[in-house]
Amino acid sequence: MISKVAVISGDILASTSLDERDRTFVIEQLQTLLNKIESKYEAYCRIVQGDYIECVTPHSEKAIEIALILKSYIKALPISNNPRYENDNRVKAFRTYGIRIAIGYGEINRIDPEQEIIDGEAIYMSGRFLKEHSTHDKERMNVRTTLNFISKNEHLNDGFNSILSLIEVLINKATAKQSDVLYRKLIGQTENEIAKQTNVSQPVINRQSTSIGWNAIEQGMMYYEKVILQNRQNNFEWTSRH
C-alpha cells in the first residue's frame, strides 16, 4: 500500500514587522497551539527559523481542518495598538491574512522528531510552493493566495484549490472576533460553550458564525475529507491488486 500523508507548511506573514513583545507573544501562542495539534491529530509539528511552521499528520483527511485552525487562530491573536502599526502595510497584511499555508499531499520517506528530520515529496511540495511565493524581505507585499493544496494529482489540486480560494475570501474578511469564533468551532466547541467562554450571548456568537460563513466552510471541509478518504481507498485497492 502506498502511504500518503499531509504536510501543512505555514509562513507567518510579516511577523518581523511586529515589535519584539508582539512577535514573542505570537510565537509563544503558536507553540501552544501546535502542541494541541500534535496531540489531537497524531502530528509532528515544529517552528523553523522563528516564524515558519511544519506539521506532518497521517490523518491527511484532516489537513484542511488543521490549516484553518492555524489561520483562524493567528488572525484572532490580539496584538498591541502600537501607533507605528497604523501606517505599516506589512502589519496590516499580518492582521488581514495572518499566515500563508500550503498543504502538501504525498509520500513521506522519513520522520524523526529527535533528529528534527522530515523527508519526502509531501514536504518538498509544500515547502517549495511557499518559497516560490515568499514575501520575506519584500518592501511591497503582493499576497495572492494564502491557502493552497499541492499534490501530483492535478484533479485533486484543481478541486481543492477552488474550495480553498472561496474559504480564503471569507476568512480574510473576518474580524479578530469572528476569527476567534471560527477557531473555537473548528476545535469542536458549541456556540453555547463559546458564548460562556467569551462572555457574550449565544445569538451574538451565531451571528458572528453566520457572518464568517461557517456553513460554507464546514461543507468545504467535509467535501475535502470525503474525497481524500476515497482517494486513499482507491490507492489501497489499486496497490493491493498489483
Side-chain angles (χ1 to χ4, degrees):
M1 177 179 178
I2 298 174
S3 178
K4 291 187 178 182
V5 303
V7 175
I8 300 95
S9 296
D11 181 15
I12 300 176
L13 284 165
S15 65
T16 55
S17 296
L18 301 176
D19 63 32
E20 186 62 28
R21 181 181 61 175
D22 283 334
R23 189 168 187 273
T24 298
F25 170 74
V26 169
I27 298 304
E28 288 176 349
Q29 295 300 306
L30 178 59
Q31 184 60 65
T32 298
L33 177 63
L34 293 181
N35 293 341
K36 294 178 181 178
I37 290 173
E38 285 188 321
S39 177
K40 182 175 181 179
Y41 299 98
E42 298 181 280
Y44 167 49
C45 301
R46 64 186 183 183
I47 299 176
V48 184
Q49 298 176 344
D51 58 3
Y52 188 87
I53 304 162
E54 292 174 334
C55 288
V56 185
T57 177
H59 302 289
S60 50
E61 73 279 6
K62 296 295 184 180
I64 283 185
E65 184 173 300
I66 296 172
L68 298 185
I69 285 173
L70 284 165
K71 187 170 177 65
S72 59
Y73 184 82
I74 292 174
K75 273 183 61 73
L77 287 176
I79 61 173
S80 66
N81 293 318
N82 188 326
R84 178 179 65 79
Y85 294 166
E86 292 183 9
N87 299 312
D88 191 322
N89 289 330
R90 294 180 65 83
V91 174
K92 291 179 181 178
F94 170 81
R95 285 177 163 149
T96 300
Y97 306 107
I99 184 172
R100 292 183 314 119
I101 293 174
I103 299 169
Y105 177 60
E107 296 179 45
I108 284 291
N109 302 324
R110 181 184 177 191
I111 302 177
D112 188 341
E114 292 187 1
Q115 299 294 323
E116 298 186 348
I117 295 173
I118 307 173
D119 184 51
E121 67 177 7
I123 194 167
Y124 294 155
M125 289 187 291
S126 62
R128 183 169 61 245
F129 182 91
L130 290 185
K131 184 176 181 180
E132 290 174 352
H133 297 81
S134 175
T135 58
H136 278 290
D137 301 321
K138 293 182 180 179
E139 185 175 345
R140 297 185 63 184
M141 298 185 68
N142 183 15
V143 182
R144 294 183 179 179
T145 178
T146 62
L147 291 172
N148 309 273
F149 178 91
I150 307 100
S151 73
K152 289 184 176 179
N153 186 322
E154 290 303 319
H155 178 69
L156 291 182
N157 294 345
D158 291 342
F160 291 152
N161 282 315
S162 296
I163 292 172
L164 286 171
S165 295
L166 296 173
I167 292 176
E168 179 179 4
V169 171
L170 296 173
I171 300 179
N172 289 345
K173 291 181 179 179
T175 65
K177 289 183 178 180
Q178 290 170 340
S179 296
D180 183 56
V181 170
L182 174 58
Y183 163 72
R184 292 173 184 274
K185 297 198 78 164
L186 286 166
I187 63 174
Q189 293 183 4
T190 66
E191 290 186 356
N192 284 328
E193 289 172 336
I194 298 171
K196 290 179 181 179
Q197 292 183 13
T198 57
N199 295 315
V200 298
S201 68
Q202 184 274 333
V204 169
I205 298 301
N206 182 261
R207 286 196 295 272
Q208 291 175 335
S209 175
T210 301
S211 296
I212 201 173
W214 167 252
N215 289 339
I217 292 171
E218 186 178 38
Q219 287 296 316
M221 290 192 301
M222 291 171 60
Y223 174 78
Y224 171 86
E225 182 170 343
K226 177 182 177 181
V227 172
I228 288 295
L229 290 175
Q230 289 176 341
N231 181 263
R232 182 186 301 166
Q233 179 64 26
N234 290 339
N235 281 337
F236 175 76
E237 290 176 352
W238 191 91
T239 53
S240 295
R241 299 193 196 103
H242 295 77

